[in-house]
Amino acid sequence: MKDITIAAIYLAAGQSRRMGTDKRALPWGESTLGAAGLQAALHSCLAPVIVVVPPDDALAWLPAELRNHKKCRFVRCAAHHGGQAHSLACGLQEAVASGADAAAVLLADQPFVTSETIEVLAGLYRRHRPDYAAFSCSGVPMPPVIFGSPMFPALLALDGDAGGRTLFRDPHWHGLLYEGDASTGIDIDTKDDYERATIYREEKEGRPHGRR
């Protein structure tokens, strides 16, 4: 039996309306907020890593070593203003073209996602072949999530800001959940979110907030 190919779809085409500035470019450790989750994907078994960005994105939020990484494929989504479903469709079409058997959806505003979490989800998917394998917090599935190819048509049919989570309520699909570290599910939409997440990260690293 051939090995299962799992592509990554890294959704980085949002407009950061609630932040008021490009949140992908905000400082995060020694790099940027948007680079954190991408680095985790690149250090995992996922390949290719499809990064969905706006059509005019200069990619200044990414360090050169990530922009030029051999696993990265950048997809410029002209329809990104229409909501997350359109960005997802752009990435998914590239995943299908690459011959992927499944696709892991990751968000650029979830900096606490680690390569270890991704590997656990990939292992679950490969061993059990569910329709999807998702991270969960208190039983609620959320990204990162791996969707098998049988779900691709349903994902491509989504519209607006509807993400794949709308399909979790459909009893037609069978999924497996991984209840990991709750911080994995933290996403950053506002300045308050960013401040809280920064304090949490610095405390986790064992250094006082504000010390650089």
Side-chain angles (χ1 to χ4, degrees):
M1 183 180 294
K2 83 178 185 72
D3 193 23
I4 296 293
T5 302
I6 306 175
I9 300 175
Y10 193 68
L11 298 179
Q15 299 176 67
S16 301
R17 287 194 188 99
R18 294 172 63 190
M19 184 67 72
T21 188
D22 186 353
K23 60 185 173 183
R24 304 171 306 172
L26 292 171
W28 190 260
E30 297 181 355
S31 189
T32 63
L33 178 63
L38 179 56
Q39 198 158 31
L42 291 170
H43 288 167
S44 75
C45 64
L46 305 179
V49 176
I50 299 159
V51 186
V52 183
V53 297
D56 57 351
D57 192 355
L59 304 180
W61 54 281
L62 278 178
E65 63 267 24
L66 298 189
R67 289 198 303 269
N68 301 322
H69 197 286
K70 63 182 181 180
K71 285 172 68 172
C72 267
R73 296 186 190 178
F74 291 93
V75 172
R76 296 182 179 275
C77 182
H80 73 108
H81 288 294
Q84 189 182 101
H86 296 277
S87 296
L88 177 57
C90 287
L92 197 54
Q93 287 161 2
E94 180 66 23
V96 170
S98 75
D101 301 298
V105 177
L106 302 103
L107 308 182
D109 61 1
Q110 285 188 306
F112 293 109
V113 171
T114 64
S115 56
E116 289 79 13
T117 295
I118 294 169
E119 294 290 344
V120 169
L121 288 173
L124 276 175
Y125 184 82
R126 287 191 164 113
R127 285 194 303 275
H128 302 288
R129 309 291 176 86
D131 294 313
Y132 64 87
F135 172 80
S136 77
C137 187
S138 301
V140 178
M142 62 183 67
V145 53
I146 297 174
F147 293 102
S149 57
M151 294 191 72
F152 289 179
L155 290 167
L156 289 169
L158 296 172
D159 194 22
D161 272 325
R165 71 181 61 189
T166 62
L167 301 177
F168 298 148
R169 297 188 292 270
D170 187 339
H172 176 76
W173 305 114
H174 169 67
L176 291 177
L177 304 182
Y178 166 57
E179 192 89 15
D181 187 329
S183 65
T184 300
I186 294 173
D187 61 351
I188 297 174
D189 292 318
T190 66
K191 291 178 181 178
D192 285 344
D193 292 342
Y194 175 61
E195 179 67 16
R196 284 193 295 267
T198 299
I199 292 171
Y200 176 80
R201 176 180 56 79
E202 292 179 347
E203 289 176 345
K204 200 172 182 180
E205 292 172 353
R207 57 193 178 96
H209 174 53
R211 184 177 175 183
R212 298 291 185 258

